[in-house]
Amino acid sequence: LTEAMVRSGEVMDWSKSQPSHKVDKHSTGGVGDKVSLILAPLVASFGLTVPMMAGRGLGHTGGTIDKLESIPGFRAQYTAEEFARLLLSPSNGTAERLNAAIVSPSRNMCPADKRMYALRDVTSTVTSLPLQTSSIMSKKIAERPDSLVLDVKFGKGSFNTNVEESLEL
């Protein structure tokens, strides 16, 4: 399933742009989770490149993309080429690269995940381990980071109610 979701769209090609070490972090989310919003620019400030493909809210949570799209004019969907250009372009008229971008799966990048994600929410399969895993990893494989940190939550406000479920994920 994960491989099919990756192949449903474009995969990042970093060969032309030569970004610095590419790192990403994925959170399983939960009520009040805002780690990505703080971590992406912080890590980028150290010269690392942070290509982050995030998700919308599922079930009772608000996703990173939902939070960002509450900002008037914020755009979350980009093609792979636009994503790379956004991430690696100079910012604010300086020569420094932006080095961090948080985007949503689009019709060009992981479109199958975008569809499956919406279905999970309405079919009560948000906590399905195979669907969680394929959703998370399809986005990360399409980004092609050099390093990845998985922030797996558990407890109240999370999809995984106990540590055992989180460890299994």
Side-chain angles (χ1 to χ4, degrees):
L1 179 60
T2 304
E3 187 177 333
M5 290 168 78
V6 172
R7 285 189 284 146
S8 72
E10 298 174 333
V11 174
M12 295 302 297
D13 177 6
W14 300 109
S15 62
K16 297 175 188 171
S17 54
Q18 301 297 323
S20 61
H21 189 83
K22 300 172 301 299
V23 299
D24 191 11
K25 170 242 150 241
H26 185 85
S27 174
T28 55
V31 174
D33 181 21
K34 297 170 208 65
V35 174
S36 297
L37 299 175
I38 297 163
L39 193 63
L42 178 65
V43 170
S45 75
F46 291 101
L48 299 169
T49 302
V50 186
M52 189 178 290
M53 202 178 316
R56 297 193 174 281
L58 286 172
H60 61 278
T61 68
T64 300
I65 296 301
D66 298 315
K67 291 175 182 83
L68 289 170
E69 285 185 338
S70 70
I71 301 168
F74 187 88
R75 178 179 163 205
Q77 292 193 13
Y78 293 86
T79 65
E81 186 177 317
E82 290 171 330
F83 185 25
R85 195 175 325 118
L86 173 70
L87 189 62
L88 302 173
S89 63
S91 62
N92 297 327
T94 69
E96 288 187 43
R97 291 176 167 180
L98 188 58
N99 273 1
I102 302 175
V103 302
S104 171
S106 67
R107 63 183 156 90
N108 299 87
M109 292 185 67
C110 292
D113 176 61
K114 185 177 179 179
R115 290 184 197 107
M116 293 286 291
Y117 205 83
L119 285 172
R120 285 173 53 209
D121 206 22
V122 297
T123 58
S124 298
T125 55
V126 170
T127 59
S128 165
L129 186 61
L131 296 179
Q132 279 184 334
T133 305
S134 60
S135 177
I136 293 167
M137 295 314 297
S138 65
K139 291 186 283 269
K140 302 311 155 186
I141 292 167
E143 288 172 4
R144 298 188 53 225
D146 298 310
S147 300
L148 175 63
V149 173
L150 296 174
D151 175 18
V152 182
K153 308 276 200 273
F154 71 93
K156 291 183 181 178
S158 173
F159 297 121
N160 302 316
T161 56
N162 59 57
V163 76
E164 290 78 20
E165 289 175 345
S166 292
L167 288 172
E168 188 177 356
L169 178 60

